[in-house]
């Protein structure tokens, strides 16, 4: 019987049958990386990944958000100044 895929033990490198549960030499269990649904490094598109994960461009902050951030910064400066002087 000829194997179609090079399937090796991750621990000792012994050639194994794809359906084999444990390595005959060391007893380690093989890991099926194909089931992990990992990106292929040759076909990976980082820009597409960012868009899929984060939804494209970030929205601009509204005037209300900018006002809250400015207020927080001013309060921090006021507290710092109160402790220094």
């Amino acid at each position: 019987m000829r194997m179609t895929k090079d399937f090796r033990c991750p621990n000792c490198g012994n050639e194994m049958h794809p359906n084999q549960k444990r390595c005959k030499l060391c007893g380690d269990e093989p890991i099926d990386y194909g089931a992990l649904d990992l990106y292929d490094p040759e076909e990976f598109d980082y820009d597409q990944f960012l868009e899929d994960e984060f939804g494209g461009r970030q929205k601009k902050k509204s005037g209300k958000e900018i006002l809250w951030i400015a207020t927080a910064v001013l309060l921090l400066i006021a507290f710092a100044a109160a402790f220094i002087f």
Side-chain angles (χ1 to χ4, degrees), residues 24-43:
K24 291 179 183 177
L25 291 180
C26 69
D28 198 21
E29 293 183 26
I31 301 169
D32 182 14
Y33 292 105
L36 295 177
D37 194 31
L38 299 174
Y39 289 104
D40 182 12
E42 298 295 323
E43 298 175 7

Side-chain angles (χ1 to χ4, degrees), residues 23-85:
C23 177
K24 291 179 183 177
L25 291 180
C26 69
D28 198 21
E29 293 183 26
I31 301 169
D32 182 14
Y33 292 105
L36 295 177
D37 194 31
L38 299 174
Y39 289 104
D40 182 12
E42 298 295 323
E43 298 175 7
F44 184 72
D45 182 10
Y46 187 71
D47 294 328
Q48 183 65 41
F49 171 76
L50 288 178
E51 189 173 327
D52 291 346
E53 291 295 317
F54 303 109
R57 296 182 135 174
Q58 288 184 341
K59 65 175 186 167
K60 290 186 176 184
K61 294 198 182 300
S62 69
K64 201 178 214 183
E65 289 175 308
I66 293 172
L67 179 65
W68 279 109
I69 292 171
T71 303
V73 169
L74 288 174
L75 282 172
L76 287 173
I77 291 171
F79 282 126
F83 285 113
I84 292 173
F85 300 111

